[in-house]
Amino acid sequence: MSSHKKLKEFAATAICGNDITSSCLYVSALAIMYAGQYAWISLLIVAGVLFLFRKIYGEAVGALPLNGGAYNILLNTTSKSNASIAACLTILSYMATAVLSASEAMHYLHSLVSSVPVFWATIGLLTFFLVLIMSGIKESSNVAIFIFVFHLASMIFLIGSGIWFAYSNNFDIMSINFSQPIEGSIPVALFLGFSTAMLGISGFESSANFVEEQEPGVFRKTLRNMWIAVSVINPLMALVIIGVVPLIEVGAHKETLLSHLGNLTGGSNLATLISIDAVLVLSGAVLTSYVGVSGLMKRMSLDRILPQALLKENKSGSSPRILIVFFLLCVSVLFITNGELGPLAGVYTMSFLAVMAYFGFGNFLLKIKRTKLPRPEYAQPYAVAIAILAIIIAIYGNILMHPEYLVVFLQYFVPSIVLILLLLNRKFVLQYLLVVIKSFIDSFRKHARIGEVLLTKKINRLTQQEFVYFSKGDNISQLNKAILYVQENEITKKLKIVTIVNEDKQVTDEFMSDFNALDRAYPEIKLEYIQMEGEFGPKLIETLSEKWKIPSNFMFISSPGNRFSYRVSELNGVRLIM
């Protein structure tokens, strides 16, 4: 995407902000149903947790500013299989977000125009954004900006209208609501309200999945802007609802509570405006899902977890095959669930909370394994621990309230992760198939022989891909770890070890003797040691990538120190493996 224009702060904020700010359409009602008049406190606690995650995301993605979010962080701090689990959770989260948001948007549209068929209109909306994203992220960002501005203006107007209504009625309803008894204790109510209200921050991870499409420095600003929006709108909206709507009415209007609020404070015209806003901003959340999943799946394809055939780009810089695969997944889920939102809500809740937990653990791994890696900000370890604990509490709370959510989530997650792991280990899968085919050769010689030849060619094509590790030429232990990493995580039989030498730095005979010993110790991998003069940097990486026909994301380095001349993001996707 480097040849295409990068997104500025407002456009990037709008793309991910539409997802997270659309939460106010439902999260206030849900929080009030569990925490009653104290729901606004639960929402403030959520804002506090999100503040901690600002630092966590800012440090992790700032140190490794590549598409992929939690997947990218774990890929550069642990194994591919661990990173794949985070990626699978993220894809499930985006899939559920897209279908849920599209369906909810069409439900709102149906309330305005009763002739609209919700199911087929949902497919139509998913198709519309598929075509829009194919035209390019810059073009689709203009739509996101319009939706974002309209939504914020609508929410500000609704909050203002609610405050005026409550003031005009001497806050009588608010007084009555605050005098209502709470089921159980206040701490339990706050706990349940907090667990539910954590749904209001879904989408916070989206910006990390298209960070490469943003101008330098924009990512941290998107985190700040999303945090401000959620911290102001959601608690304030809950307070306004408590000041205008009797608590007993909240459950009856939970699906369209803000439209009901608009009707009470500004009449049918305001209610219609809020319904139109709901259609638009929920549609914007669909756009966010497409953008986020495109960045993630592109990164996974580059790393050979998903088929590289998905990487083919059009003139606008989009990857149509990735977008079409995601669209088909969304439509299939819609047909499987028959448009019922309950099962999707279970997948949505568990997957995005799990992704945030993975981000927290990834931050810890970054501190332990990448201590020398420069980062624009630093999240204190105790703050990361508190944030992860808060996510675990929210997951437990949601399972406690909706145990069926866990069952539905596992029904989607287990097949998905099995498929991802099969793709990740397709070399061994193909080898097993080859053994099976050979066992049938005597009985079905002709057809089995054809299958054997095809599988053998496929395996050879996979293993012939070369990888590169840039070694400093002075630490044989580190080189041994690099070889072990490649052997355990990549499908290859070839590894080039490259050391950049100059007048001040030469490789010793002792190191070469140790390398020859390593070469004999790993007969299954062909090791080639290359010394060359020059300066390590983006230009050299690009030159070698073109010369050897090896993608730069198949080139590895150990974690650089504070004196390193370049940021990791400037190294054309070179991966950190130690």
Side-chain angles (χ1 to χ4, degrees):
M1 295 289 294
S2 58
S3 60
H4 302 278
K5 290 183 179 180
K6 304 285 187 178
L7 296 171
K8 296 183 183 296
E9 178 184 350
F10 195 34
T13 300
I15 289 175
C16 47
N18 281 327
D19 190 359
I20 197 167
T21 59
S22 67
S23 65
C24 64
L25 292 166
Y26 54 83
V27 77
S28 296
L30 293 173
I32 290 171
M33 288 174 64
Y34 288 101
Q37 60 269 40
Y38 301 104
W40 61 279
I41 299 177
S42 294
L43 288 161
L44 283 175
I45 296 172
V46 170
V49 173
L50 196 61
F51 179 79
L52 298 179
F53 272 99
R54 271 183 63 188
K55 288 276 189 180
I56 293 169
Y57 280 49
E59 177 184 0
V61 180
L64 298 164
L66 300 169
N67 287 348
Y71 163 78
N72 174 54
I73 305 305
L74 292 171
L75 184 67
N76 284 279
T77 54
T78 182
S79 67
K80 253 189 177 182
S81 57
N82 289 333
S84 297
I85 294 173
C88 187
L89 288 166
T90 308
I91 292 172
L92 281 177
S93 177
Y94 278 130
M95 194 168 66
T97 300
V99 178
L100 264 175
S101 299
S103 183
E104 282 287 347
M106 294 304 97
H107 271 95
Y108 270 101
L109 184 60
H110 179 75
S111 70
L112 293 171
V113 185
S114 59
S115 61
V116 171
V118 173
F119 185 88
W120 295 107
T122 300
I123 294 177
L125 187 64
L126 291 168
T127 305
F128 170 76
F129 281 107
L130 168 67
V131 175
L132 182 64
I133 293 294
M134 283 184 182
S135 67
I137 190 171
K138 188 69 178 176
E139 290 69 21
S140 57
S141 69
N142 295 326
V143 176
I145 289 172
F146 169 76
I147 294 172
F148 189 60
V149 171
F150 185 84
H151 176 58
L152 290 183
S154 300
M155 292 302 99
I156 291 170
F157 189 77
L158 180 62
I159 289 170
S161 175
I163 292 173
W164 177 254
F165 179 90
Y167 173 77
S168 300
N169 289 276
N170 299 314
F171 299 100
D172 291 339
I173 296 175
M174 180 174 282
S175 299
I176 294 171
N177 283 338
F178 270 103
S179 65
Q180 296 297 312
I182 285 285
E183 288 188 22
S185 63
I186 292 178
V188 171
L190 290 176
F191 160 65
L192 296 177
F194 164 77
S195 299
T196 302
M198 283 297 286
L199 287 171
I201 61 174
S202 61
F204 192 69
E205 77 286 349
S206 294
S207 186
N209 283 307
F210 63 98
V211 66
E212 291 179 49
E213 280 73 60
Q214 301 171 30
E215 289 187 350
V218 165
F219 172 72
R220 290 171 63 195
K221 294 177 181 178
T222 64
L223 298 182
R224 177 200 63 198
N225 297 340
M226 285 190 287
W227 175 75
I228 291 173
V230 168
S231 301
V232 172
I233 293 175
N234 287 2
L236 195 55
M237 188 66 75
L239 265 177
V240 168
I241 292 169
I242 293 167
V244 174
V245 184
L247 291 180
I248 197 171
E249 293 183 14
V250 171
H253 298 277
K254 62 181 180 180
E255 279 100 10
T256 57
L257 184 59
L258 295 197
S259 294
H260 180 61
L261 176 65
N263 190 53
L264 290 175
T265 61
S268 59
N269 288 335
L270 183 55
T272 300
L273 175 69
I274 298 305
S275 293
I276 293 171
D277 170 64
V279 173
L280 289 175
V281 76
L282 287 167
S283 298
V286 179
L287 172 63
T288 302
S289 298
Y290 271 110
V291 174
V293 85
S294 177
L296 172 60
M297 291 179 69
K298 184 179 293 186
R299 183 68 201 280
M300 293 174 70
S301 300
L302 283 169
D303 293 329
R304 295 210 298 176
I305 294 176
L306 297 178
Q308 290 194 295
L310 296 175
L311 289 171
K312 185 176 178 60
E313 293 187 348
N314 59 18
K315 293 180 180 179
S316 301
S318 298
S319 300
R321 294 177 182 178
I322 288 176
L323 297 170
I324 291 171
V325 167
F326 181 67
F327 167 77
L328 292 175
L329 286 172
C330 289
V331 172
S332 65
V333 167
L334 192 64
F335 274 98
I336 290 169
T337 60
N338 200 27
E340 293 181 14
L341 302 184
L344 284 169
V347 178
Y348 183 48
T349 304
M350 297 302 164
S351 55
F352 103 82
L353 286 175
V355 169
M356 293 195 77
Y358 261 107
F359 234 114
F361 287 120
N363 186 283
F364 268 133
L365 289 172
L366 197 69
K367 296 180 192 301
I368 296 168
K369 296 187 174 183
R370 302 286 180 261
T371 54
K372 296 180 181 180
L373 195 64
R375 57 206 74 192
E377 57 184 322
Y378 184 80
Q380 293 296 334
Y382 72 85
V384 181
I386 292 171
I388 294 174
L389 179 62
I391 294 295
I392 293 172
I393 289 171
I395 292 174
Y396 172 73
N398 277 283
I399 293 174
L400 193 66
M401 291 182 289
H402 304 286
E404 71 277 10
Y405 279 10
L406 180 60
V407 176
V408 175
F409 165 72
L410 291 175
Q411 288 175 343
Y412 282 85
F413 175 70
V414 172
S416 300
I417 197 61
V418 167
L419 177 61
I420 291 291
L421 291 177
L422 285 175
L423 287 170
L424 188 63
N425 297 283
R426 56 189 176 276
K427 173 188 171 184
F428 301 105
V429 173
L430 292 173
Q431 287 175 333
Y432 293 148
L433 286 175
L434 191 57
V435 170
V436 172
I437 286 176
K438 284 182 177 178
S439 69
F440 283 98
I441 283 181
D442 291 337
S443 301
F444 308 97
R445 194 165 196 83
K446 181 179 178 182
H447 297 292
R449 179 66 66 186
I450 294 173
E452 180 186 1
V453 171
L454 291 175
L455 284 174
T456 302
K457 286 183 178 179
K458 180 67 175 177
I459 293 170
N460 289 336
R461 190 159 56 246
L462 281 172
T463 56
Q464 290 306 305
Q465 174 63 60
E466 287 187 297
F467 286 74
V468 176
Y469 174 67
F470 291 98
S471 169
K472 295 178 182 178
D474 58 2
N475 190 330
I476 201 67
S477 174
Q478 196 170 59
L479 178 57
N480 183 47
K481 290 178 182 178
I483 297 170
L484 280 171
Y485 176 89
V486 172
Q487 187 179 43
E488 293 172 1
N489 290 275
E490 304 297 344
I491 305 173
T492 186
K493 290 182 178 179
K494 296 181 179 181
L495 177 63
K496 292 180 183 287
I497 314 296
V498 180
T499 299
I500 309 302
V501 297
N502 51 46
E503 294 179 359
D504 300 323
K505 181 179 180 180
Q506 296 292 327
V507 179
T508 64
D509 292 339
E510 181 182 2
F511 180 86
M512 289 306 304
S513 176
D514 290 337
F515 169 77
N516 290 329
L518 279 181
D519 192 16
R520 292 191 297 272
Y522 296 99
E524 64 276 15
I525 298 181
K526 180 183 177 182
L527 300 178
E528 180 183 359
Y529 195 86
I530 300 172
Q531 297 182 46
M532 60 175 60
E533 293 187 358
E535 179 183 348
F536 180 76
K539 188 174 181 180
L540 177 68
I541 291 168
E542 186 177 355
T543 300
L544 294 180
S545 179
E546 292 178 359
K547 179 181 178 182
W548 292 336
K549 308 298 182 187
I550 301 176
S552 55
N553 60 299
F554 292 165
M555 298 181 176
F556 307 142
I557 60 172
S558 55
S559 185
N562 293 324
R563 296 182 180 179
F564 190 56
S565 304
Y566 304 97
R567 289 170 57 88
V568 174
S569 59
E570 297 175 315
L571 300 180
N572 303 318
V574 168
R575 280 164 49 192
L576 304 182
I577 59 171
M578 284 183 295

